Amino acid sequence: SPSRHGIGHVDLGPQHAIEALHEHRYARQRTGYVISAALGTGIACIALVVWLFRRQEKSYFWLGSMQVMWVVYLCTILSQETWPFFTTAAMSLVSISCLLIYAHTFLIFTLRFGGQRKPRVECVTWSALALWISLMTLGVVDTSYQGVVSLMWCGTLFAATGLYFQWRAWHTRSPQHVMLAVCWLAVIVIGVHDSWVAVREWYNFETLTAFFGPVLAIMLGVLLGWKIAEDMRRIDGFNAELSQRVTEA
C-alpha cells in the first residue's frame, strides 16, 4: 500500500510483485519517450530539409528546431548514464536548457505558422532566456530553484502560446490553423494534468506526456505534409497560369 514517510510514495509488497510493477511503469514511460524521440527526429529532418530548399518558409525551420530541442531533451531523460565529458550537473543544465529552448521555439513556430511576427515579444523572451541560462551556467542561481523556475517558465509559455493560437485560429478559420489549435489545446490539457502529477497529487507514472508525445508528433507530421502539399499545389497552379499567359502572349 502507498504511504508517506518523508520519502514520497512507497509501494510495499512481495519482491516479485514490486519488481513486476516497477518494470511495467518503467517500460510504460520509456517506450512512449523512445517512440516520440524517433518520430520527432524524422519530422525535424524533413522540416529542416524543406527549409533548406525554401528559405522563405520560416515555419519549417522553427518546426525543425523545435523538434531537435525536444529530441535532445528526451535523450537526456532516456540516458541511463552521463554523456562523455559531462558531469551530472552539466547534464541537468543541458536538459533544462533544451526544454526552455524548446518552449521558446514552440512560441516562434506558432507565430510563424500563423503568419505573424511579434518583434518585441520575441526580443524580450529570447533575451530573458539567454539571461536565465547564463545565470544557471555561472552558478548564480541555486540548483534547487533551477528546475522549479524553469518548469514554471515553460508551462506559462506553453499555456500562453496555446491559448493565443486558439484566438488566432478562430480569427483566420484556416483548416491548418484549426488543426494546430486543437493540438495546442491538447498540450495545455496534458500539461495541467502532468503538473498535478509533478506536485505528487497522483503517482508520477501516471503522466500522459510520454503517451501524448508520439500522437503529437504524428499530428505535426500530418500538418507538415498538408502544408507541403498545399505549397506544391500553389506552385503548380502558378506555373499553369504562367504557361497559359505566355501562350496567350
Side-chain angles (χ1 to χ4, degrees):
S1 60
S3 62
R4 290 178 179 270
H5 296 289
I7 56 175
H9 291 282
V10 177
D11 287 315
L12 302 178
Q15 180 180 346
H16 67 276
I18 297 300
E19 287 180 347
L21 180 63
H22 171 71
E23 290 176 0
H24 169 71
R25 294 176 179 177
Y26 180 81
R28 182 179 184 271
Q29 293 289 80
R30 190 174 183 85
T31 301
Y33 284 134
V34 169
I35 296 174
S36 181
L39 292 174
T41 301
I43 293 173
C45 292
I46 295 172
L48 292 175
V49 167
V50 172
W51 172 75
L52 286 174
F53 288 97
R54 293 180 57 82
R55 297 294 182 88
Q56 68 274 20
E57 297 289 346
K58 301 297 184 182
S59 59
Y60 292 113
F61 170 77
W62 290 109
L63 174 60
S65 301
M66 182 177 77
Q67 290 302 306
V68 168
M69 289 297 102
W70 177 243
V71 170
V72 176
Y73 171 69
L74 290 182
C75 288
T76 62
I77 293 177
L78 294 171
S79 179
Q80 296 179 330
E81 296 180 359
T82 56
W83 296 346
F85 311 109
F86 276 78
T87 62
T88 302
M91 281 284 291
S92 176
L93 180 59
V94 169
S95 181
I96 293 173
S97 299
C98 287
L99 182 61
L100 285 165
I101 297 173
Y102 171 71
H104 284 256
T105 51
F106 179 93
L107 167 65
I108 305 301
F109 163 70
T110 303
L111 291 175
R112 296 296 182 271
F113 192 85
Q116 291 184 305
R117 286 180 175 273
K118 302 286 184 181
R120 293 183 179 179
V121 173
E122 294 173 26
C123 181
V124 170
T125 53
W126 283 114
S127 298
L129 175 63
L131 177 61
W132 177 246
I133 292 179
S134 298
L135 292 176
M136 290 192 296
T137 303
L138 296 173
V140 176
V141 182
D142 190 277
T143 54
S144 60
Y145 296 105
Q146 290 180 6
V148 175
V149 174
S150 297
L151 286 175
M152 292 177 61
W153 186 325
C154 291
T156 301
L157 202 56
F158 285 134
T161 303
L163 291 174
Y164 169 76
F165 202 75
Q166 305 304 309
W167 174 87
R168 180 63 179 170
W170 177 264
H171 180 73
T172 64
R173 303 299 176 90
S174 166
Q176 292 182 4
H177 291 176
V178 172
M179 182 177 177
L180 186 64
V182 172
C183 292
W184 284 182
L185 183 61
V187 168
I188 294 173
V189 173
I190 297 298
V192 171
H193 174 273
D194 288 0
S195 295
W196 280 108
V197 173
V199 296
R200 297 183 181 279
E201 289 294 329
W202 300 310
Y203 287 110
N204 287 341
F205 70 89
E206 291 185 352
T207 56
L208 300 178
T209 301
F211 294 97
F212 181 68
V215 176
L216 179 60
I218 292 172
M219 295 178 73
L220 288 176
V222 171
L223 197 58
L224 175 62
W226 186 358
K227 186 171 177 57
I228 292 174
E230 187 177 80
D231 290 342
M232 292 177 65
R233 283 196 298 268
R234 188 182 300 113
I235 293 171
D236 290 341
F238 173 77
N239 290 337
E241 182 180 355
L242 180 62
S243 178
Q244 181 180 356
R245 293 295 177 87
V246 169
T247 302
E248 292 174 356

